[in-house]
Amino acid sequence: LEVQNWSRIGTKDALIFIPGFNSWLKHSCETFGQMIAMSTTSKVVHPILFQFPGAQVLTYRKASQISASENNKKYFLQMLHSLKAEGFLNIHIVTHSLGVQTLMNCFENNGDGSPSPVSDCFGQAPANNDTSSSLTNLGKLVCRSITLLNPDYPLDAFREHGFRSLRRVSSLITVVGDKTDQALFWSSLINGIVNRLRWSQPSALDSEARRNRISFQLQAAIGKSIDSLHLKEGKDSDDWLDCDCIDTTGLDTNVNNLRHSAYSVNSILLRDIEEIVVTGKRAADRTTLLHRKGNVFEYCHAPSFVSQ
């Protein structure tokens, strides 16, 4: 990343967007641009698109392997170094669908358990609502927020190691999901089949639970398992992960049939993403949300069939 005659900045942050599967560069720029244009985030952030080879419909598994490749990790690290060199300090990250696999690969710990080179670019997760820049003198970036939109990432892997790798650098992690997401259903089915065939998984996506599973089972994706983001199995678990889970199952305006890509057209969801980036508030402090249970929230929004 090198822009000639680009003056160093001191006020704006960077918002890095990682698109998902079957999203080519032109399409990614259009959807990300629409998301920025329909909000006021451009006043406080510089939008940065991190595009990886997202593949197409018949090459889903190939896209998953590419997302977890060493090349992807290397290029993401180069981008962070370039942003830092240009004077950026605060970083926000938004991913969609398969893009979360790129993110998890970049933040995956080294074999000895130490932070990855990408994680090491960031200082320790700042406290909630801490807007100070105390990490500047340490030469570290600050990860202000991480937002996962309809994330296509295994629930078991997220519980076992994925969440911890993100929580190390950010205290504002938001998972936005839909229990009726059709794209994630097909993802869960395909991955369930290849798991039954004992095909290998990239280490960033693998888990002990997957390796120990004997019978066929759908591979639950966190974007469709919005009520299950806790440490232990079972619906009555109190060990909720320290993240905000936003259930968008009830949204029915500007949501396509797959219920997988509303982030660039649904004004309710866009305003919430904007509030995360601009204010840094947790879900419990955002007035558009209702608490349901544990770490799960939903939008305070009447369905379209309700009228006066």
Side-chain angles (χ1 to χ4, degrees), residues 35-62:
M35 185 173 76
I36 295 296
M38 290 181 65
S39 69
T40 62
T41 51
S42 60
K43 295 180 180 180
V44 294
V45 297
H46 287 281
I48 306 291
L49 174 68
F50 182 79
Q51 179 73 35
F52 72 99
Q56 292 182 325
V57 176
L58 298 179
T59 52
Y60 168 80
R61 288 287 296 182
K62 183 63 175 177

Side-chain angles (χ1 to χ4, degrees), residues 124-245:
Q124 186 176 0
N128 291 333
N129 299 323
D130 178 10
T131 59
S132 67
S133 301
S134 58
L135 294 174
T136 305
N137 296 331
L138 300 177
K140 300 285 188 179
L141 296 170
V142 182
C143 189
R144 292 297 179 187
S145 68
I146 296 176
T147 306
L148 314 179
L149 305 171
N150 300 84
D152 185 3
Y153 186 78
L155 175 62
D156 291 328
F158 194 72
R159 285 170 169 168
E160 289 185 18
H161 55 81
F163 172 74
R164 289 197 303 272
S165 66
L166 299 184
R167 185 60 181 81
R168 174 188 287 122
V169 301
S170 180
S171 57
L172 179 50
I173 300 172
T174 306
V175 180
V176 179
D178 188 317
K179 288 181 284 189
T180 59
D181 190 318
Q182 293 302 300
L184 293 186
F185 166 77
W186 290 109
S187 161
S188 298
L189 177 61
I190 292 171
N191 287 311
I193 292 172
V194 298
N195 288 344
R196 183 69 182 88
L197 296 174
R198 297 296 178 183
W199 290 11
S200 62
Q201 284 265 36
S203 59
L205 312 180
D206 206 359
S207 64
E208 183 178 353
R210 185 197 77 89
R211 293 190 298 270
N212 292 339
R213 193 165 290 125
I214 299 175
S215 60
F216 169 77
Q217 185 174 328
L218 295 177
Q219 177 175 285
I222 57 177
K224 193 173 166 62
S225 307
I226 205 71
D227 290 330
S228 302
L229 296 187
H230 41 68
L231 291 176
K232 298 179 181 179
E233 293 286 352
K235 296 182 179 180
D236 297 325
S237 174
D238 293 326
D239 298 319
W240 301 97
L241 298 176
D242 184 22
C243 61
D244 295 330
C245 306

